[in-house]
């Protein structure tokens, strides 16, 4: 069976997944770059029966699934991938399986962004290479207010670190229970209070119809001029046009972003040219430990599928 491994940017899948052991049953082809559009995706993948996908990289859309006539199985990293059209997959009788995933990697990256913004790491590092020495004043985290939007698995981990730094931690989400906030030693507040009071606002809610454009111009205008916005969740939770305008006009002090509306972020995107935007290329889950989980469990999923006993099923066959 022909297997396509998509979006292996670092070219590590064959090593970490140990797929060599399955070469007698599966023919693997690795794609290291993103496809330009749906038509190219269909053309490149038309002969494949199995897709191994990295979540939220190449969208496996209704049109793509409909036109991949031989497709029988999709395996995604993680147990949730909103860029796979599960309705069309079910209609075409295509099995969808997933893998486990670490959440601590995104928590750690969130704090890398917060600390970098607080201490002007980007500017000071760049200035060092230009021969300058100590050009900015940073901020200490102790005593500052950290506002967390979404107090789930990652948000609660972020809260613990904030508390360890001596920050005042507050949180909001539409479904946040007071008992959950209390258990995490966090004060539950309204969305407006969080935006108005926080020195750092960090987003850890999932993308849905309710959370798309959750942060718009009016929300950004509630924030302090000295406040920073951090997003390691999904790009569309923040209205990107409004964010660019807020950064250009210094409505907020800056933003630390790991996710975007369009990924990879276009080379000419305005965010790339803003000095108060700290940008990373969606590194949240990109760690050796996470990739080992993804690809080793994809290996296990393939083996189980071959044996007729699929595991880690996201969506069953009809």
């Amino acid at each position: 069976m022909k297997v396509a491994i998509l979006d292996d940017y670092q070219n590590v899948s064959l090593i970490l997944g140990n797929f060599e052991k399955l070469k007698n049953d599966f023919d693997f082809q690795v794609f290291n770059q993103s496809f330009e559009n749906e038509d190219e995706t269909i053309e490149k993948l038309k002969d494949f029966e199995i897709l191994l996908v990295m979540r939220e990289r190449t969208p496996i859309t209704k049109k793509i699934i409909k036109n991949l006539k031989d497709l029988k199985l999709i395996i995604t990293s993680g147990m949730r991938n909103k860029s796979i059209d599960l309705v069309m997959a079910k209609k075409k009788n295509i099995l969808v399986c997933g893998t486990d995933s670490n959440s601590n990697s995104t928590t750690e990256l969130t704090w890398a962004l917060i600390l970098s913004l607080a201490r002007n790491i980007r500017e000071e590092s760049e200035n060092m290479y230009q021969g300058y020495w100590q050009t900015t004043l940073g901020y200490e985290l102790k005593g500052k207010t950290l506002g967390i939007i979404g107090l789930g698995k990652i948000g609660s981990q972020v809260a613990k670190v904030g508390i360890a730094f001596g920050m005042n931690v507050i949180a909001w989400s539409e479904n946040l229970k007071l008992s959950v906030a209390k258990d995490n030693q966090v004060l539950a507040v309204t969305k407006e209070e969080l935006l108005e009071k926080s020195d750092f606002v960090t987003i850890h809610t999932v993308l849905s119809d309710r959370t798309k454009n959750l942060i718009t111009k009016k929300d950004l205008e509630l924030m302090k001029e000295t406040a920073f916005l951090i997003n390691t969740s999904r790009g569309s939770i923040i209205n990107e046009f409004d964010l660019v305008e807020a950064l250009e006009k210094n409505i907020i002090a800056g933003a630390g972003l790991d996710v975007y509306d369009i990924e990879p972020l276009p080379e000419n995107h305005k965010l790339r040219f803003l000095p108060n935007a700290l940008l990373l290329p969606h590194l949240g889950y990109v760690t050796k430990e996470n990739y080992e989980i993804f690809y080793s469990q994809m290996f296990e999923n393939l083996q189980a599928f071959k044996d007729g006993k699929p595991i880690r099923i996201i969506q069953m066959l009809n």
Side-chain angles (χ1 to χ4, degrees):
M1 299 183 74
K2 296 192 68 174
V3 181
I5 303 176
L6 304 189
D7 300 313
D8 181 11
Y9 297 160
Q10 295 87 4
N11 200 28
V12 295
S13 59
L14 295 181
I15 300 169
L16 297 178
N18 206 13
F19 294 119
E20 180 74 14
K21 291 183 177 180
L22 296 174
K23 67 179 182 180
N24 292 333
D25 298 293
F26 300 98
D27 178 18
F28 295 94
Q29 183 173 341
V30 177
F31 295 88
N32 301 120
Q33 303 296 326
S34 300
F35 302 123
E36 289 291 327
N37 49 48
E38 287 180 310
D39 291 335
E40 184 188 5
T41 304
I42 293 166
E43 177 61 29
K44 295 287 188 181
L45 301 180
K46 63 184 179 182
D47 297 326
F48 289 90
E49 297 161 273
I50 300 173
L51 304 181
L52 307 188
V53 305
M54 194 64 72
R55 60 186 183 189
E56 278 87 47
R57 290 187 182 172
T58 295
I60 309 301
T61 63
K62 178 179 180 180
K63 179 179 177 180
I64 290 169
I65 294 173
K66 187 176 181 180
N67 284 277
L68 297 183
K69 306 299 183 183
D70 298 326
L71 188 59
K72 297 178 177 63
L73 172 67
I74 301 170
I75 303 176
T76 176
S77 60
M79 290 301 293
R80 180 176 59 211
N81 188 338
K82 289 185 175 294
S83 62
I84 298 174
D85 192 311
L86 294 176
V87 174
M88 180 53 68
K90 190 172 185 67
K91 186 176 181 180
K92 291 283 299 290
N93 207 28
I94 296 166
L95 181 67
V96 182
C97 297
T99 72
D100 295 328
S101 176
N102 284 332
S103 59
N104 51 283
S105 58
T106 301
T107 300
E108 292 168 5
L109 191 78
T110 297
W111 280 102
L113 286 168
I114 292 173
L115 288 164
S116 294
L117 289 167
R119 300 303 292 271
N120 303 304
I121 298 298
R122 172 189 171 184
E123 184 176 350
E124 291 289 3
S125 178
E126 290 175 351
N127 285 346
M128 281 288 289
Y129 290 101
Q130 300 299 320
Y132 298 102
W133 187 264
Q134 291 189 7
T135 58
T136 68
L137 287 176
Y139 294 97
E140 296 178 8
L141 298 184
K142 186 176 182 179
K144 300 294 190 302
T145 297
L146 174 68
I148 302 174
I149 295 178
L151 198 63
K153 186 183 293 185
I154 296 174
S156 59
Q157 291 179 356
V158 169
K160 290 177 182 177
V161 180
I163 292 167
F165 272 121
M167 302 182 77
N168 305 309
V169 184
I170 60 179
W172 170 84
S173 70
E174 286 188 343
N175 300 315
L176 179 59
K177 296 179 180 178
L178 291 177
S179 59
V180 173
K182 184 177 180 181
D183 288 345
N184 285 281
Q185 299 178 293
V186 170
L187 178 65
V189 296
T190 65
K191 179 183 174 185
E192 290 74 20
E193 286 177 311
L194 184 142
L195 294 169
E196 290 171 352
K197 293 180 178 180
S198 296
D199 298 294
F200 298 87
V201 174
T202 181
I203 296 173
H204 301 289
T205 187
V206 298
L207 177 63
S208 66
D209 291 339
R210 287 190 305 172
T211 61
K212 186 173 183 179
N213 288 320
L214 182 69
I215 303 297
T216 61
K217 181 178 181 179
K218 65 180 180 63
D219 301 299
L220 293 164
E221 289 175 344
L222 290 175
M223 294 175 63
K224 302 176 183 178
E225 289 184 2
T226 55
F228 297 95
L229 178 64
I230 296 91
N231 190 9
T232 57
S233 182
R234 293 295 178 266
S236 298
I237 294 172
I238 302 173
N239 183 294
E240 213 163 75
F241 178 85
D242 291 347
L243 177 60
V244 168
E245 183 180 18
L247 292 171
E248 287 177 333
K249 294 181 178 180
N250 295 310
I251 292 171
I252 61 174
L257 307 174
D258 189 44
V259 288
Y260 312 91
D261 280 350
I262 300 173
E263 297 185 7
L265 188 69
E267 291 183 11
N268 61 347
H269 197 286
K270 282 188 175 182
L271 281 171
R272 290 184 181 269
F273 305 97
L274 296 174
N276 52 352
L278 177 58
L279 310 180
L280 295 176
H282 203 151
L283 297 178
Y285 60 76
V286 182
T287 64
K288 184 175 183 292
E289 292 83 358
N290 241 351
Y291 271 37
E292 285 175 342
I293 293 172
F294 293 161
Y295 288 123
S296 65
Q297 291 192 1
M298 286 179 181
F299 171 94
E300 294 170 359
N301 290 354
L302 283 173
Q303 203 164 36
F305 178 75
K306 175 180 73 72
D307 295 337
K309 300 176 181 179
I311 56 176
R312 303 187 187 95
I313 296 169
I314 295 175
Q315 180 164 273
M316 289 286 292
L317 299 171
N318 289 330

